[in-house]
Amino acid sequence: MQTQRQVMSYALQRRATLEAMRRPTRPMMESDPCDADPLLIRSALHHGWPAGQECPVCAGEHLTLLAYVFGDQLGQYSGRIRQPSELEEMEQQFGEFKVYEVEVCPDCGWNFMILSYLLGDGRKRRPPRHEQTVEDIYG
């Protein structure tokens, strides 16, 4: 991606979380990293792409990546999952939006945000016109 900037990797936090999970006398963690929401697991199964490595917790082969996009210029499309090919198209259509990459294991429920970054060409644009969706009609 050509316009990727302000990259934030969470690799150190991920490693610390995994080490804390493997300690024999691990203290009670604030949130268990293997408690993925059922909707997150369903999203990983249907919209994610393979991570290319095994799960760090259960060594399963189904570790999946998801990319969520957020930004004022995205309008109603903010907060949705996008594929890498869609991100490449979007970086020319929108001025600035944030991407959060999350890894999810549907087998054991492991989930962790691994990367965040900004994309876009930097030009300020108005959000796209609101289009009526099924959620608007049926609530």
Side-chain angles (χ1 to χ4, degrees), residues 56-131:
V57 177
C58 70
E61 298 177 5
H62 299 111
L63 190 65
T64 306
L65 294 176
L66 294 170
Y68 286 90
V69 295
F70 293 92
D72 293 336
Q73 295 181 24
L74 298 177
Q76 76 185 66
Y77 302 107
S78 180
R80 301 217 178 153
I81 299 170
R82 297 291 179 209
Q83 297 292 321
S85 59
E86 293 174 308
L87 292 176
E88 290 176 8
E89 292 175 18
M90 289 175 66
E91 70 180 326
Q92 302 305 319
Q93 296 173 351
F94 298 99
E96 184 174 276
F97 60 96
K98 189 99 173 180
V99 180
Y100 296 95
E101 289 188 10
V102 179
E103 66 180 7
V104 180
C105 178
D107 297 334
C108 69
W110 164 259
N111 63 102
F112 205 86
M113 183 169 58
I114 56 171
L115 195 64
S116 67
Y117 51 89
L118 281 177
L119 282 180
D121 59 13
R123 290 185 292 167
K124 183 100 170 130
R125 293 185 177 91
R126 289 177 39 170
R129 189 175 189 163
H130 183 81
E131 296 178 19

